[in-house]
Amino acid sequence: MKPLLIAVMMLFTAACNKTNNNLRGPVASREPSSKLAAAALAVTPKEMIICDQKNARIIMVDIANNNQITWEWKASGSYAMIHSAAQAWFSNLSDAKLVYNGSYILATASGGGVALISVSSKKAIWYDYAGGNTHSAELLPNGNVVTASTTGGYLMIFTVDSYINDQSSQVKAATFEDVHNVVWDHARQQLYAAGKDKLKVFTYNGSCTAPKLTLKATYTMPQGNAHELFPVYGSTTDLWLTNSGNIYRFNVTTGAFTLIKATSGVKSVTSGPSGYQTIIAKANGAGGESWRTDQVLDINGAVVYKNTSIGLYKARWKLVNTFSYPAGDHFHECTHP
């Protein structure tokens, strides 16, 4: 009788263990499967850098992942380390360019400010005051920065010195009526800027102590009131150019202006590789001012991103600019080599 009882108990224990194992199995497998499902839902980021003037910030938005705001910068943020008196310089942020192989953003504001911002820390490692409704800035090969100011019409070169920030030496390098933009050409080692109905080409002497621009060529545009000037992604010769009513491509080797689309109020144009639309920020009055918008369109007018809580001025794809900067470029300044 005793051996029979032992055998029955062993069978009962085995059955319980099997049942418990079966219960544990699906529960244990649900957690990794849910993680796999979540991973499958997340796709490769596809981000824009946006100047949101209404909220006094620069943001990055991932349109491939539910339009998540992945990054935000404000001059008033403690991380920016901009002293309180200088924070007003960054009202109405006007441009934000990805530089130094994607590690920094070069930003300007109509309030007169210009800043070089670390993407990882959000610290403005260098900033200064250009004044004159600053609309754009460009990084020069030796680490200096040139800005374009529309009011008063001038290009300013700053000898960047991150040790002293807003006390860096500066020089008005050129007068240029209503200039709105600056773009460096790494291959040809020259600078482009456009204002009114002129597009000008300058050479740069590369000096740290006495920086200078020299006018090389002037082109007359088909129509006036130039605004945007930015490299066509993947091209070694073409720049996007906008004015009162048109979008053009300008060929830097032939000097030819090619009309791409008739449309007004375009503040920025940016293209990208396969899978990236050519996007525009086209003023529609949303966001508190006539020159702002609450949406980013493709070049044919289809909405790519819309957010009624913002008032944006320019939007650019978060892509490395190989037209203007060398591969693998990293932060440097001629004042502290």
Side-chain angles (χ1 to χ4, degrees):
M1 190 68 185
K2 191 173 182 179
L4 179 60
L5 179 60
I6 292 171
V8 169
M9 290 177 66
M10 290 178 65
L11 286 171
F12 179 78
T13 301
C16 287
N17 286 338
K18 184 176 181 182
T19 302
N20 288 337
N21 286 336
N22 286 340
L23 286 172
R24 284 196 300 268
V27 172
S29 65
R30 274 199 297 271
E31 185 177 0
S33 66
S34 63
K35 288 180 179 178
L36 288 171
L41 290 173
V43 298
T44 303
K46 187 178 180 182
E47 294 177 279
M48 295 177 182
I49 303 172
I50 291 173
C51 292
D52 176 13
Q53 293 188 345
K54 181 179 179 180
N55 299 291
R57 61 182 182 168
I58 301 169
I59 56 175
M60 294 183 188
V61 177
D62 186 354
I63 67 165
N65 288 286
N66 300 314
N67 292 333
Q68 293 179 28
I69 295 177
T70 58
W71 189 89
E72 178 188 77
W73 182 88
K74 292 185 175 184
S76 60
S78 59
Y79 49 74
M81 298 184 70
I82 294 176
H83 65 72
S84 56
Q87 290 171 14
W89 301 348
F90 294 91
S91 61
N92 284 341
L93 287 150
S94 54
D95 203 358
K97 296 179 177 179
L98 202 64
V99 297
Y100 287 133
N101 204 37
S103 295
Y104 294 83
I105 284 178
L106 181 60
T108 54
S110 292
V114 54
L116 189 59
I117 304 159
S118 166
V119 173
S120 60
S121 70
K122 300 185 183 180
K123 178 185 177 182
I125 63 165
W126 172 83
Y127 63 94
D128 216 317
Y129 182 77
N133 192 4
T134 313
H135 257 66
S136 184
E138 183 59 291
L139 194 61
L140 295 168
N142 63 351
N144 286 346
V145 166
V146 57
T147 57
S149 294
T150 61
T151 303
Y154 56 89
L155 300 178
M156 181 91 79
I157 295 179
F158 291 86
T159 301
V160 171
D161 188 335
S162 62
Y163 289 27
I164 58 175
N165 286 319
D166 60 325
Q167 299 177 50
S168 295
S169 64
Q170 55 192 263
V171 60
K172 284 190 177 180
T175 57
F176 191 169
E177 186 180 7
D178 202 40
V179 63
H180 271 70
N181 46 65
V182 270
V183 172
W184 181 253
D185 182 340
H186 172 66
R188 297 166 188 83
Q189 293 291 289
Q190 56 192 25
L191 185 77
Y192 309 99
K196 290 290 186 183
D197 66 340
K198 304 298 182 194
L199 189 152
K200 296 184 179 183
V201 185
F202 299 88
T203 57
Y204 173 54
N205 69 351
S207 171
C208 188
T209 56
K212 181 182 178 182
L213 297 178
T214 301
L215 183 63
K216 179 180 178 181
T218 301
Y219 298 92
T220 300
M221 295 165 51
Q223 186 187 33
N225 296 322
H227 198 280
E228 166 76 319
L229 191 68
F230 198 73
V232 174
Y233 184 89
S235 174
T236 59
T237 59
D238 285 15
L239 303 174
W240 293 112
L241 170 68
T242 70
N243 57 12
S244 296
N246 297 302
I247 299 173
Y248 299 92
R249 283 177 66 148
F250 173 72
N251 187 294
V252 302
T253 58
T254 65
F257 298 89
T258 302
L259 177 63
I260 301 300
K261 191 174 185 65
T263 185
S264 61
V266 176
K267 304 304 182 182
S268 66
V269 185
T270 308
S271 48
S274 177
Y276 283 73
Q277 306 96 313
T278 296
I279 56 172
I280 64 174
K282 177 181 167 69
N284 66 3
E289 298 290 353
S290 61
W291 58 80
R292 297 176 186 165
T293 182
D294 60 354
Q295 59 190 5
V296 178
L297 309 175
D298 71 17
I299 200 168
N300 296 313
V303 175
V304 177
Y305 171 72
K306 185 176 179 70
N307 184 340
T308 56
S309 69
I310 69 175
L312 73 89
Y313 189 65
K314 289 183 182 177
R316 304 199 183 284
W317 289 121
K318 187 187 176 186
L319 295 169
V320 173
N321 174 5
T322 58
F323 180 91
S324 297
Y325 320 119
D329 199 17
H330 61 277
F331 173 74
H332 56 276
E333 52 190 352
C334 59
T335 49
H336 303 285

mmCIF file of all heavy atoms in Angstrom, residues 180-216:
data_model
loop_
_atom_site.group_PDB
_atom_site.id
_atom_site.type_symbol
_atom_site.label_atom_id
_atom_site.label_comp_id
_atom_site.label_asym_id
_atom_site.label_seq_id
_atom_site.Cartn_x
_atom_site.Cartn_y
_atom_site.Cartn_z
ATOM 1 N N HIS A 180 20.405 88.450 -46.502
ATOM 2 C CA HIS A 180 19.596 87.534 -45.679
ATOM 3 C C HIS A 180 20.272 86.199 -45.385
ATOM 4 O O HIS A 180 19.701 85.386 -44.654
ATOM 5 C CB HIS A 180 18.264 87.242 -46.384
ATOM 6 C CG HIS A 180 17.170 88.206 -46.052
ATOM 7 N ND1 HIS A 180 17.169 89.505 -46.484
ATOM 8 C CD2 HIS A 180 16.040 88.060 -45.303
ATOM 9 C CE1 HIS A 180 16.068 90.120 -46.042
ATOM 10 N NE2 HIS A 180 15.376 89.265 -45.316
ATOM 11 N N ASN A 181 21.420 85.918 -45.933
ATOM 12 C CA ASN A 181 21.941 84.548 -45.857
ATOM 13 C C ASN A 181 23.428 84.494 -46.111
ATOM 14 O O ASN A 181 24.015 85.421 -46.695
ATOM 15 C CB ASN A 181 21.202 83.670 -46.869
ATOM 16 C CG ASN A 181 21.108 84.377 -48.210
ATOM 17 O OD1 ASN A 181 22.119 84.626 -48.858
ATOM 18 N ND2 ASN A 181 19.899 84.757 -48.626
ATOM 19 N N VAL A 182 24.045 83.400 -45.710
ATOM 20 C CA VAL A 182 25.455 83.117 -46.009
ATOM 21 C C VAL A 182 25.645 81.603 -46.110
ATOM 22 O O VAL A 182 25.119 80.859 -45.283
ATOM 23 C CB VAL A 182 26.421 83.684 -44.949
ATOM 24 C CG1 VAL A 182 26.859 85.084 -45.273
ATOM 25 C CG2 VAL A 182 25.834 83.624 -43.555
ATOM 26 N N VAL A 183 26.407 81.169 -47.111
ATOM 27 C CA VAL A 183 26.702 79.743 -47.314
ATOM 28 C C VAL A 183 28.164 79.596 -47.714
ATOM 29 O O VAL A 183 28.629 80.263 -48.657
ATOM 30 C CB VAL A 183 25.807 79.130 -48.417
ATOM 31 C CG1 VAL A 183 26.260 77.698 -48.740
ATOM 32 C CG2 VAL A 183 24.346 79.139 -47.996
ATOM 33 N N TRP A 184 28.887 78.708 -47.021
ATOM 34 C CA TRP A 184 30.281 78.427 -47.369
ATOM 35 C C TRP A 184 30.345 77.261 -48.335
ATOM 36 O O TRP A 184 29.586 76.292 -48.212
ATOM 37 C CB TRP A 184 31.101 78.108 -46.122
ATOM 38 C CG TRP A 184 32.553 77.827 -46.416
ATOM 39 C CD1 TRP A 184 33.171 76.616 -46.386
ATOM 40 C CD2 TRP A 184 33.538 78.784 -46.804
ATOM 41 N NE1 TRP A 184 34.490 76.747 -46.732
ATOM 42 C CE2 TRP A 184 34.751 78.072 -47.001
ATOM 43 C CE3 TRP A 184 33.524 80.161 -47.013
ATOM 44 C CZ2 TRP A 184 35.930 78.705 -47.385
ATOM 45 C CZ3 TRP A 184 34.714 80.802 -47.402
ATOM 46 C CH2 TRP A 184 35.890 80.082 -47.570
ATOM 47 N N ASP A 185 31.269 77.346 -49.287
ATOM 48 C CA ASP A 185 31.520 76.295 -50.276
ATOM 49 C C ASP A 185 32.877 75.696 -49.957
ATOM 50 O O ASP A 185 33.917 76.297 -50.241
ATOM 51 C CB ASP A 185 31.485 76.913 -51.675
ATOM 52 C CG ASP A 185 31.680 75.899 -52.799
ATOM 53 O OD1 ASP A 185 32.214 74.799 -52.540
ATOM 54 O OD2 ASP A 185 31.309 76.224 -53.944
ATOM 55 N N HIS A 186 32.867 74.497 -49.371
ATOM 56 C CA HIS A 186 34.123 73.870 -48.940
ATOM 57 C C HIS A 186 35.030 73.526 -50.126
ATOM 58 O O HIS A 186 36.245 73.740 -50.062
ATOM 59 C CB HIS A 186 33.821 72.606 -48.134
ATOM 60 C CG HIS A 186 35.022 71.792 -47.803
ATOM 61 N ND1 HIS A 186 36.025 72.238 -46.967
ATOM 62 C CD2 HIS A 186 35.409 70.544 -48.217
ATOM 63 C CE1 HIS A 186 36.966 71.310 -46.864
ATOM 64 N NE2 HIS A 186 36.618 70.286 -47.609
ATOM 65 N N ALA A 187 34.460 73.010 -51.197
ATOM 66 C CA ALA A 187 35.267 72.580 -52.343
ATOM 67 C C ALA A 187 35.972 73.754 -53.016
ATOM 68 O O ALA A 187 37.139 73.646 -53.420
ATOM 69 C CB ALA A 187 34.395 71.840 -53.354
ATOM 70 N N ARG A 188 35.289 74.890 -53.113
ATOM 71 C CA ARG A 188 35.835 76.044 -53.831
ATOM 72 C C ARG A 188 36.394 77.108 -52.899
ATOM 73 O O ARG A 188 36.935 78.108 -53.364
ATOM 74 C CB ARG A 188 34.750 76.647 -54.738
ATOM 75 C CG ARG A 188 34.296 75.671 -55.805
ATOM 76 C CD ARG A 188 33.007 76.101 -56.485
ATOM 77 N NE ARG A 188 32.521 75.049 -57.367
ATOM 78 C CZ ARG A 188 31.796 74.004 -56.967
ATOM 79 N NH1 ARG A 188 31.447 73.887 -55.692
ATOM 80 N NH2 ARG A 188 31.421 73.079 -57.827
ATOM 81 N N GLN A 189 36.225 76.883 -51.589
ATOM 82 C CA GLN A 189 36.730 77.807 -50.583
ATOM 83 C C GLN A 189 36.268 79.239 -50.845
ATOM 84 O O GLN A 189 37.051 80.187 -50.947
ATOM 85 C CB GLN A 189 38.263 77.741 -50.524
ATOM 86 C CG GLN A 189 38.807 76.420 -50.000
ATOM 87 C CD GLN A 189 38.520 76.205 -48.515
ATOM 88 O OE1 GLN A 189 39.115 76.885 -47.668
ATOM 89 N NE2 GLN A 189 37.636 75.273 -48.189
ATOM 90 N N GLN A 190 34.931 79.385 -50.934
ATOM 91 C CA GLN A 190 34.352 80.701 -51.121
ATOM 92 C C GLN A 190 32.983 80.790 -50.451
ATOM 93 O O GLN A 190 32.372 79.767 -50.130
ATOM 94 C CB GLN A 190 34.258 81.058 -52.608
ATOM 95 C CG GLN A 190 33.492 80.079 -53.463
ATOM 96 C CD GLN A 190 33.676 80.327 -54.957
ATOM 97 O OE1 GLN A 190 34.687 80.894 -55.405
ATOM 98 N NE2 GLN A 190 32.719 79.915 -55.758
ATOM 99 N N LEU A 191 32.532 82.018 -50.258
ATOM 100 C CA LEU A 191 31.309 82.297 -49.528
ATOM 101 C C LEU A 191 30.273 82.922 -50.458
ATOM 102 O O LEU A 191 30.614 83.777 -51.283
ATOM 103 C CB LEU A 191 31.609 83.260 -48.379
ATOM 104 C CG LEU A 191 30.468 83.586 -47.419
ATOM 105 C CD1 LEU A 191 30.260 82.433 -46.448
ATOM 106 C CD2 LEU A 191 30.769 84.879 -46.653
ATOM 107 N N TYR A 192 29.009 82.499 -50.308
ATOM 108 C CA TYR A 192 27.907 83.074 -51.082
ATOM 109 C C TYR A 192 26.950 83.785 -50.137
ATOM 110 O O TYR A 192 26.702 83.330 -49.016
ATOM 111 C CB TYR A 192 27.139 81.975 -51.829
ATOM 112 C CG TYR A 192 28.017 81.055 -52.641
ATOM 113 C CD1 TYR A 192 28.386 79.810 -52.140
ATOM 114 C CD2 TYR A 192 28.492 81.431 -53.891
ATOM 115 C CE1 TYR A 192 29.198 78.963 -52.858
ATOM 116 C CE2 TYR A 192 29.315 80.588 -54.630
ATOM 117 C CZ TYR A 192 29.667 79.351 -54.104
ATOM 118 O OH TYR A 192 30.481 78.514 -54.827
ATOM 119 N N ALA A 193 26.386 84.891 -50.617
ATOM 120 C CA ALA A 193 25.369 85.617 -49.868
ATOM 121 C C ALA A 193 24.456 86.302 -50.869
ATOM 122 O O ALA A 193 24.893 86.694 -51.960
ATOM 123 C CB ALA A 193 26.010 86.642 -48.936
ATOM 124 N N ALA A 194 23.179 86.446 -50.486
ATOM 125 C CA ALA A 194 22.211 87.070 -51.389
ATOM 126 C C ALA A 194 21.366 88.091 -50.634
ATOM 127 O O ALA A 194 20.961 87.860 -49.489
ATOM 128 C CB ALA A 194 21.314 86.015 -52.034
ATOM 129 N N GLY A 195 21.102 89.214 -51.303
ATOM 130 C CA GLY A 195 20.249 90.256 -50.760
ATOM 131 C C GLY A 195 19.674 91.067 -51.902
ATOM 132 O O GLY A 195 20.330 91.239 -52.951
ATOM 133 N N LYS A 196 18.442 91.563 -51.730
ATOM 134 C CA LYS A 196 17.752 92.279 -52.818
ATOM 135 C C LYS A 196 17.773 91.413 -54.075
ATOM 136 O O LYS A 196 17.347 90.272 -54.050
ATOM 137 C CB LYS A 196 18.380 93.651 -53.044
ATOM 138 C CG LYS A 196 18.129 94.628 -51.922
ATOM 139 C CD LYS A 196 16.672 95.059 -51.856
ATOM 140 C CE LYS A 196 16.448 96.144 -50.836
ATOM 141 N NZ LYS A 196 15.029 96.526 -50.708
ATOM 142 N N ASP A 197 18.356 91.938 -55.173
ATOM 143 C CA ASP A 197 18.397 91.151 -56.407
ATOM 144 C C ASP A 197 19.813 90.724 -56.767
ATOM 145 O O ASP A 197 20.114 90.408 -57.916
ATOM 146 C CB ASP A 197 17.781 91.941 -57.572
ATOM 147 C CG ASP A 197 18.590 93.172 -57.941
ATOM 148 O OD1 ASP A 197 19.398 93.627 -57.088
ATOM 149 O OD2 ASP A 197 18.421 93.683 -59.059
ATOM 150 N N LYS A 198 20.717 90.699 -55.767
ATOM 151 C CA LYS A 198 22.105 90.339 -56.019
ATOM 152 C C LYS A 198 22.512 89.090 -55.241
ATOM 153 O O LYS A 198 22.114 88.901 -54.085
ATOM 154 C CB LYS A 198 23.051 91.478 -55.623
ATOM 155 C CG LYS A 198 22.763 92.815 -56.288
ATOM 156 C CD LYS A 198 22.899 92.749 -57.802
ATOM 157 C CE LYS A 198 22.652 94.139 -58.407
ATOM 158 N NZ LYS A 198 22.450 94.082 -59.864
ATOM 159 N N LEU A 199 23.294 88.263 -55.875
ATOM 160 C CA LEU A 199 23.962 87.145 -55.210
ATOM 161 C C LEU A 199 25.458 87.386 -55.384
ATOM 162 O O LEU A 199 25.942 87.525 -56.519
ATOM 163 C CB LEU A 199 23.552 85.808 -55.803
ATOM 164 C CG LEU A 199 24.021 84.558 -55.037
ATOM 165 C CD1 LEU A 199 23.053 83.395 -55.248
ATOM 166 C CD2 LEU A 199 25.429 84.120 -55.433
ATOM 167 N N LYS A 200 26.171 87.450 -54.263
ATOM 168 C CA LYS A 200 27.592 87.783 -54.317
ATOM 169 C C LYS A 200 28.449 86.614 -53.835
ATOM 170 O O LYS A 200 28.041 85.834 -52.980
ATOM 171 C CB LYS A 200 27.878 89.022 -53.471
ATOM 172 C CG LYS A 200 27.188 90.281 -53.990
ATOM 173 C CD LYS A 200 27.576 91.515 -53.180
ATOM 174 C CE LYS A 200 26.886 92.764 -53.726
ATOM 175 N NZ LYS A 200 27.289 93.990 -53.000
ATOM 176 N N VAL A 201 29.655 86.547 -54.399
ATOM 177 C CA VAL A 201 30.629 85.513 -54.051
ATOM 178 C C VAL A 201 31.850 86.206 -53.452
ATOM 179 O O VAL A 201 32.369 87.178 -54.024
ATOM 180 C CB VAL A 201 31.039 84.692 -55.286
ATOM 181 C CG1 VAL A 201 31.957 83.540 -54.877
ATOM 182 C CG2 VAL A 201 29.819 84.175 -56.031
ATOM 183 N N PHE A 202 32.307 85.707 -52.319
ATOM 184 C CA PHE A 202 33.459 86.284 -51.629
ATOM 185 C C PHE A 202 34.517 85.211 -51.375
ATOM 186 O O PHE A 202 34.191 84.038 -51.166
ATOM 187 C CB PHE A 202 33.056 86.858 -50.269
ATOM 188 C CG PHE A 202 32.045 87.961 -50.311
ATOM 189 C CD1 PHE A 202 30.672 87.660 -50.287
ATOM 190 C CD2 PHE A 202 32.435 89.295 -50.352
ATOM 191 C CE1 PHE A 202 29.728 88.673 -50.301
ATOM 192 C CE2 PHE A 202 31.494 90.311 -50.380
ATOM 193 C CZ PHE A 202 30.135 90.005 -50.351
ATOM 194 N N THR A 203 35.755 85.632 -51.344
ATOM 195 C CA THR A 203 36.818 84.772 -50.838
ATOM 196 C C THR A 203 37.138 85.212 -49.407
ATOM 197 O O THR A 203 36.835 86.341 -49.007
ATOM 198 C CB THR A 203 38.085 84.857 -51.697
ATOM 199 O OG1 THR A 203 38.522 86.227 -51.766
ATOM 200 C CG2 THR A 203 37.817 84.332 -53.107
ATOM 201 N N TYR A 204 37.746 84.319 -48.662
ATOM 202 C CA TYR A 204 38.049 84.581 -47.253
ATOM 203 C C TYR A 204 39.538 84.362 -47.031
ATOM 204 O O TYR A 204 40.091 83.350 -47.483
ATOM 205 C CB TYR A 204 37.217 83.641 -46.386
ATOM 206 C CG TYR A 204 37.538 83.658 -44.908
ATOM 207 C CD1 TYR A 204 37.528 84.843 -44.188
ATOM 208 C CD2 TYR A 204 37.824 82.471 -44.219
ATOM 209 C CE1 TYR A 204 37.800 84.860 -42.827
ATOM 210 C CE2 TYR A 204 38.084 82.478 -42.861
ATOM 211 C CZ TYR A 204 38.075 83.676 -42.168
ATOM 212 O OH TYR A 204 38.341 83.681 -40.824
ATOM 213 N N ASN A 205 40.183 85.294 -46.324
ATOM 214 C CA ASN A 205 41.641 85.199 -46.155
ATOM 215 C C ASN A 205 42.072 84.214 -45.079
ATOM 216 O O ASN A 205 43.260 83.896 -44.949
ATOM 217 C CB ASN A 205 42.239 86.579 -45.883
ATOM 218 C CG ASN A 205 41.849 87.151 -44.525
ATOM 219 O OD1 ASN A 205 40.991 86.608 -43.826
ATOM 220 N ND2 ASN A 205 42.465 88.271 -44.156
ATOM 221 N N GLY A 206 41.134 83.717 -44.284
ATOM 222 C CA GLY A 206 41.465 82.690 -43.292
ATOM 223 C C GLY A 206 42.260 83.186 -42.103
ATOM 224 O O GLY A 206 42.755 82.391 -41.299
ATOM 225 N N SER A 207 42.366 84.494 -41.933
ATOM 226 C CA SER A 207 43.154 85.048 -40.837
ATOM 227 C C SER A 207 42.378 85.010 -39.536
ATOM 228 O O SER A 207 41.188 85.308 -39.497
ATOM 229 C CB SER A 207 43.552 86.491 -41.153
ATOM 230 O OG SER A 207 44.139 87.109 -40.028
ATOM 231 N N CYS A 208 43.087 84.694 -38.469
ATOM 232 C CA CYS A 208 42.458 84.710 -37.150
ATOM 233 C C CYS A 208 42.454 86.123 -36.578
ATOM 234 O O CYS A 208 41.474 86.554 -35.960
ATOM 235 C CB CYS A 208 43.214 83.769 -36.218
ATOM 236 S SG CYS A 208 42.401 83.531 -34.617
ATOM 237 N N THR A 209 43.513 86.872 -36.794
ATOM 238 C CA THR A 209 43.648 88.199 -36.184
ATOM 239 C C THR A 209 43.083 89.319 -37.054
ATOM 240 O O THR A 209 42.667 90.356 -36.533
ATOM 241 C CB THR A 209 45.124 88.491 -35.895
ATOM 242 O OG1 THR A 209 45.885 88.362 -37.111
ATOM 243 C CG2 THR A 209 45.676 87.511 -34.864
ATOM 244 N N ALA A 210 43.054 89.120 -38.369
ATOM 245 C CA ALA A 210 42.542 90.165 -39.268
ATOM 246 C C ALA A 210 41.696 89.540 -40.377
ATOM 247 O O ALA A 210 42.045 89.588 -41.565
ATOM 248 C CB ALA A 210 43.700 90.970 -39.863
ATOM 249 N N PRO A 211 40.561 88.911 -40.024
ATOM 250 C CA PRO A 211 39.738 88.236 -41.029
ATOM 251 C C PRO A 211 39.167 89.225 -42.043
ATOM 252 O O PRO A 211 38.790 90.341 -41.698
ATOM 253 C CB PRO A 211 38.627 87.592 -40.191
ATOM 254 C CG PRO A 211 38.556 88.402 -38.942
ATOM 255 C CD PRO A 211 39.950 88.856 -38.675
ATOM 256 N N LYS A 212 39.106 88.770 -43.294
ATOM 257 C CA LYS A 212 38.677 89.667 -44.363
ATOM 258 C C LYS A 212 37.973 88.890 -45.466
ATOM 259 O O LYS A 212 38.375 87.782 -45.829
ATOM 260 C CB LYS A 212 39.899 90.403 -44.947
ATOM 261 C CG LYS A 212 39.581 91.389 -46.041
ATOM 262 C CD LYS A 212 40.857 92.033 -46.575
ATOM 263 C CE LYS A 212 40.560 92.996 -47.720
ATOM 264 N NZ LYS A 212 41.812 93.590 -48.268
ATOM 265 N N LEU A 213 36.918 89.496 -46.011
ATOM 266 C CA LEU A 213 36.251 88.983 -47.207
ATOM 267 C C LEU A 213 36.589 89.873 -48.382
ATOM 268 O O LEU A 213 36.651 91.097 -48.253
ATOM 269 C CB LEU A 213 34.732 88.962 -47.011
ATOM 270 C CG LEU A 213 34.156 88.058 -45.924
ATOM 271 C CD1 LEU A 213 32.638 88.226 -45.855
ATOM 272 C CD2 LEU A 213 34.503 86.589 -46.178
ATOM 273 N N THR A 214 36.780 89.238 -49.546
ATOM 274 C CA THR A 214 37.050 89.983 -50.776
ATOM 275 C C THR A 214 36.020 89.594 -51.820
ATOM 276 O O THR A 214 35.829 88.398 -52.087
ATOM 277 C CB THR A 214 38.463 89.684 -51.315
ATOM 278 O OG1 THR A 214 39.433 90.045 -50.313
ATOM 279 C CG2 THR A 214 38.735 90.467 -52.591
ATOM 280 N N LEU A 215 35.340 90.585 -52.395
ATOM 281 C CA LEU A 215 34.326 90.311 -53.406
ATOM 282 C C LEU A 215 34.965 89.715 -54.658
ATOM 283 O O LEU A 215 35.902 90.274 -55.213
ATOM 284 C CB LEU A 215 33.579 91.598 -53.764
ATOM 285 C CG LEU A 215 32.429 91.454 -54.762
ATOM 286 C CD1 LEU A 215 31.327 90.558 -54.203
ATOM 287 C CD2 LEU A 215 31.875 92.831 -55.133
ATOM 288 N N LYS A 216 34.425 88.576 -55.092
ATOM 289 C CA LYS A 216 34.957 87.879 -56.255
ATOM 290 C C LYS A 216 34.034 88.009 -57.466
ATOM 291 O O LYS A 216 34.501 88.154 -58.602
ATOM 292 C CB LYS A 216 35.155 86.394 -55.914
ATOM 293 C CG LYS A 216 35.692 85.545 -57.043
ATOM 294 C CD LYS A 216 35.849 84.089 -56.602
ATOM 295 C CE LYS A 216 36.339 83.205 -57.741
ATOM 296 N NZ LYS A 216 36.471 81.786 -57.313
#
